[in-house]
Amino acid sequence: MKNSLKVERAIMDLTQGELADKIGVSRQTIHAIEAGKYVPSTVLALKLARLFGKPVEAFFMLESTD
């Protein structure tokens, strides 16, 4: 899964730590999501969507299997 979380975070001028605090996870979790090493749970993805005021699909994309 690809994501644009880092870009969205930069637009809001948030550090990884600040974003983590706002949604109740560790900074390492945000780092792992941005690096593509961790796929967030549905609950976490929805928390991010609510914070950014955008649908989940705005920053999480499935990669093509072709």
Side-chain angles (χ1 to χ4, degrees):
M1 179 181 311
K2 297 184 339 182
N3 72 76
S4 61
L5 185 58
K6 187 174 184 175
V7 172
E8 296 294 335
R9 182 173 58 77
I11 290 169
M12 289 187 68
D13 196 30
L14 294 171
T15 66
Q16 288 180 342
E18 290 168 339
L19 176 56
D21 288 344
K22 287 183 180 291
I23 60 171
V25 298
S26 69
R27 184 203 58 79
Q28 291 86 352
T29 298
I30 300 300
H31 173 74
I33 293 170
E34 289 182 356
K37 296 181 180 187
Y38 177 74
V39 176
S41 68
T42 303
V43 171
L44 182 52
L46 290 171
K47 285 182 179 181
L48 288 165
R50 180 180 290 165
L51 178 72
F52 290 119
K54 297 183 177 183
V56 172
E57 296 87 357
F59 40 88
F60 292 108
M61 293 79 46
L62 290 174
E63 294 183 83
S64 176
T65 57
D66 298 351

